[in-house]
């Protein structure tokens, strides 16, 4: 079969393949880009596999970077683009169910493709558009099936993260997991414990940001993969409840974690250790813990106060609202935006007076009293109880001191 419509990324990268073949070696586009091109999806990274060894690649191209020579990867710089060119390899010595630290370079495309995870990821594309399909990847693409190449148990022993990749692709592609592949995942789900939590994290987030996240999550539960994950091992019921929500796409990592946090019954306090276990970034932990109380208000159909908007800021309000909408509550984002912009002030620096003014006019000493006074004025202004002008604020401050 031939790929008739070459996406621009392939067209741009074609001279790299041609240079390698002109030098007498084989070179193909491989991996996710071939799969996505056949599905008509946008490509992100174009990977090239070749029979040439790294030293041979470096002789062909003027500008290269030794990205991962040990693993056979050289980055070729060509017309402002960077392409990862990786020598065909087998990964014979696997250690601890993680990716190997040792690879063997080979000259055979078949050897390279047969150690890849799924048939749909084991297609190769020649520069003239010919698809090399040694493991029935095309049939599986057509049947929308995620099927391990060869023996699924072996593939998951080689790299246990592949089990997470299967449920992630299910979400992203809306494919089914072929039954023997699914059984192997169920049987070996415990192997996922061997994988660094950061890598599992990335796959779980990709799953949840996928278009069909409820289906992906369903497999994540059914195969018991969730049992090896931080903070989720006893949460089957809560996780299952998530799969009954409408499959509206989630937009950000924070939205994903907020949804989990809510469903697991976490609080702004308990969500922090939960997310730390997952090695989430601090800014994500902050957004989630700050939006949780707002989400609770939306779900309890309580009105948010001016202070809620002011203190959290618009992005956090919109985040909480996004999740509330999944539960059929919340409001139109434009409405929330309007409300936020109607606040008397959005930032403390917009207050018509500052600490210096208070010190100067009220003969106060710097210290906690000053801070408290300022905070009270700020709250009154935000609530709309005091106009934001200097005279009114000074007068009010005076009366607070008496
Ligand atoms: N655990 C893994 C990871 C990757 N691969 C192989 O390496 C290719 C590229 O890997 P990667 O970019 O991580 O995944 P993609 O399939 O390209 O998916 P994505 O769209 O997320 O990049 C895969 O297609 C697959 O052939 C594999 O066999 N086993
Ligand atoms: Mg990729």
């Amino acid at each position: 079969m031939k790929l008739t419509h070459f996406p621009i990324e392939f067209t741009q990268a074609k001279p790299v393949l041609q240079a390698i073949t002109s030098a007498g070696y084989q070179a193909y586009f491989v991996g996710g880009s071939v799969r996505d091109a056949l599905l008509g999806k946008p490509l992100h990274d174009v990977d090239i596999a070749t029979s040439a060894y790294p030293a041979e690649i470096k002789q062909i191209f003027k500008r290269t970077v030794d990205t991962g020579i040990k693993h056979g990867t050289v980055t070729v710089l060509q017309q402002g683009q960077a392409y990862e060119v990786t020598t065909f390899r087998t990964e014979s010595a696997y250690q601890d169910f993680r990716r190997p630290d040792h690879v063997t370079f080979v000259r055979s495309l078949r050897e390279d493709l047969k150690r890849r995870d799924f048939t749909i990821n084991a297609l190769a594309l020649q520069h003239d558009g010919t698809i090399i399909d040694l493991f029935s990847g095309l049939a599986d693409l057509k049947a929308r099936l995620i099927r391990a190449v060869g023996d699924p148990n072996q593939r998951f022993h080689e790299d246990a993260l592949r089990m997470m990749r299967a449920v992630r692709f299910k979400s992203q592609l809306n494919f089914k997991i072929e039954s023997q592949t699914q059984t192997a995942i169920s049987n070996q789900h415990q192997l996922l414990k061997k994988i660094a939590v950061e890598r599992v994290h990335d796959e779980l987030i990709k799953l949840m940001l996928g278009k069909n996240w409820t289906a992906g999550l369903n497999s994540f539960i059914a195969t018991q993969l969730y049992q090896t994950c931080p903070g989720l091992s006893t949460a089957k019921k809560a996780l299952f409840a998530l799969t009954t929500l409408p499959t509206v796409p989630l937009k950000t990592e924070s939205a994903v974690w907020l949804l989990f946090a809510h469903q697991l019954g976490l609080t702004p306090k308990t969500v922090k250790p939960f997310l730390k276990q997952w090695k989430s970034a601090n800014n994500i932990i902050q957004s989630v813990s700050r939006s949780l109380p707002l989400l609770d208000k939306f779900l309890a159909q309580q009105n948010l106060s001016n202070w809620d908007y002011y203190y959290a800021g618009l992005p956090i309000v919109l985040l909480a609202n996004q999740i509330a909408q999944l539960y059929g509550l919340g409001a139109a984002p434009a409405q929330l935006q309007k409300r936020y912009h109607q606040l008397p002030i959005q930032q403390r620096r917009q207050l018509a007076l500052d600490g210096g003014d208070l010190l100067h006019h009220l003969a106060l000493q710097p210290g906690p009293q000053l801070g408290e006074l300022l905070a009270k004025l700020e709250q009154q202004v935000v609530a709309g109880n005091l106009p934001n002008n200097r005279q009114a604020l000074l007068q009010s401050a005076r009366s607070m001191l008496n």
Side-chain angles (χ1 to χ4, degrees):
M1 185 201 152
K2 278 210 172 192
L3 182 70
T4 43
H5 176 71
F6 252 49
I8 174 83
E9 293 87 344
F10 283 157
T11 308
Q12 282 173 346
K14 218 163 104 171
V16 177
L17 292 197
Q18 284 166 325
I20 302 172
T21 47
S22 302
Y25 305 99
Q26 299 168 54
Y28 305 92
F29 296 123
V30 288
S33 58
V34 181
R35 175 198 70 221
D36 290 340
L38 287 163
L39 290 170
K41 287 181 174 273
L43 313 191
H44 24 117
D45 44 0
V46 170
D47 290 323
I48 295 169
T50 178
S51 61
Y53 286 6
E56 293 163 341
I57 289 297
K58 287 169 67 171
Q59 284 190 339
I60 299 171
F61 298 97
K62 264 201 209 118
R63 296 172 63 217
T64 62
V65 182
D66 291 3
T67 331
I69 286 279
K70 245 178 63 185
H71 293 98
T73 305
V74 174
T75 300
V76 171
L77 303 169
Q78 190 93 328
Q79 298 193 320
Q81 300 284 337
Y83 300 101
E84 292 211 334
V85 178
T86 304
T87 303
F88 297 154
R89 58 197 190 182
T90 57
E91 300 176 355
S92 39
Y94 282 87
Q95 298 187 341
D96 292 347
F97 312 102
R98 278 180 259 120
R99 288 186 128 176
D101 52 7
H102 172 81
V103 300
T104 310
F105 300 145
V106 291
R107 299 281 189 188
S108 143
L109 175 66
R110 176 179 291 274
E111 286 299 311
D112 180 273
L113 295 179
K114 83 176 196 203
R115 57 95 203 164
R116 290 176 182 266
D117 54 2
F118 305 112
T119 60
I120 56 169
N121 291 342
L123 294 160
L125 172 64
Q126 231 162 252
H127 63 78
D128 63 355
T130 306
I131 303 274
I132 318 271
D133 177 21
L134 304 179
F135 300 97
S136 305
L138 285 175
D140 286 336
L141 263 187
K142 204 163 168 212
R144 307 179 76 80
L145 277 179
I146 299 156
R147 183 200 306 272
V149 175
D151 176 3
N153 292 300
Q154 224 172 325
R155 293 291 86 74
F156 299 140
H157 263 264
E158 286 163 359
D159 183 353
L161 188 71
R162 288 169 167 171
M163 299 188 290
M164 278 302 292
R165 284 170 57 86
V167 294
R168 179 261 277 203
F169 286 126
K170 178 170 179 176
S171 166
Q172 290 180 325
L173 304 176
N174 197 18
F175 279 26
K176 285 207 163 64
I177 302 176
E178 176 274 332
S179 80
Q180 286 183 24
T181 302
Q182 166 128 351
T183 304
I185 299 175
S186 296
N187 289 342
Q188 312 206 66
H189 67 272
Q190 295 280 354
L191 292 182
L192 193 63
K193 277 194 204 144
K194 310 269 183 188
I195 301 295
V197 70
E198 292 90 337
R199 297 180 71 205
V200 179
H201 171 281
D202 290 353
E203 291 299 330
L204 183 61
I205 294 299
K206 283 183 186 171
L207 183 165
M208 293 299 292
L209 295 180
K211 232 172 152 184
N212 309 280
W213 61 270
T214 52
L217 199 55
N218 226 315
S219 292
F220 177 68
I221 302 166
T223 53
Q224 305 188 62
L225 283 168
Y226 75 97
Q227 284 187 4
T228 64
C229 293
L232 301 182
S233 59
T234 57
K236 185 172 183 180
K237 240 185 162 171
L239 289 174
F240 188 73
L242 286 178
T243 67
T244 64
L245 291 173
T247 317
V248 176
L250 298 168
K251 292 185 196 137
T252 59
E253 189 181 328
S254 295
V256 169
W257 288 125
L258 177 60
L259 179 61
F260 274 117
H262 166 70
Q263 201 67 42
L264 295 170
L266 302 178
T267 65
K269 230 179 168 174
T270 57
V271 77
K272 286 182 186 166
F274 170 76
L275 290 176
K276 285 257 183 241
Q277 274 185 298
W278 275 99
K279 304 253 164 86
S280 295
N282 284 334
N283 64 327
I284 304 274
I285 299 181
Q286 258 221 354
S287 310
V288 175
S289 64
R290 291 178 86 173
S291 53
L292 251 182
L294 300 186
L295 174 59
D296 286 341
K297 280 201 174 181
F298 277 126
L299 296 180
Q301 293 182 274
Q302 289 170 5
N303 285 325
L304 266 55
S305 65
N306 273 11
W307 188 257
D308 286 329
Y309 280 87
Y310 176 82
Y311 185 69
L314 187 58
I316 298 293
V317 173
L318 292 174
L319 172 63
N321 185 60
Q322 202 199 323
I323 301 306
Q325 285 188 312
L326 272 183
Y327 292 90
L329 293 162
Q335 203 181 320
L336 303 177
Q337 234 153 23
K338 190 169 157 205
R339 169 88 193 269
Y340 179 78
H341 291 300
Q342 282 171 346
L343 288 176
I345 57 172
Q346 276 91 22
Q347 318 256 330
R348 176 176 268 201
R349 62 179 160 76
Q350 295 173 309
L351 207 58
L353 112 187
D354 62 16
D357 294 323
L358 289 179
L359 288 177
H360 182 72
H361 291 281
L362 303 182
L364 278 174
Q365 297 300 313
Q369 196 192 13
L370 178 72
E372 280 164 29
L373 193 56
L374 209 53
K376 274 189 196 152
L377 293 174
E378 182 186 18
Q379 282 168 20
Q380 292 296 321
V381 169
V382 170
N385 298 336
L386 260 181
N388 187 28
N389 79 52
R390 257 167 75 92
Q391 285 316 316
L393 294 178
L394 276 174
Q395 198 181 345
S396 173
R398 276 196 196 97
S399 67
M400 283 181 199
L401 286 174
N402 290 330

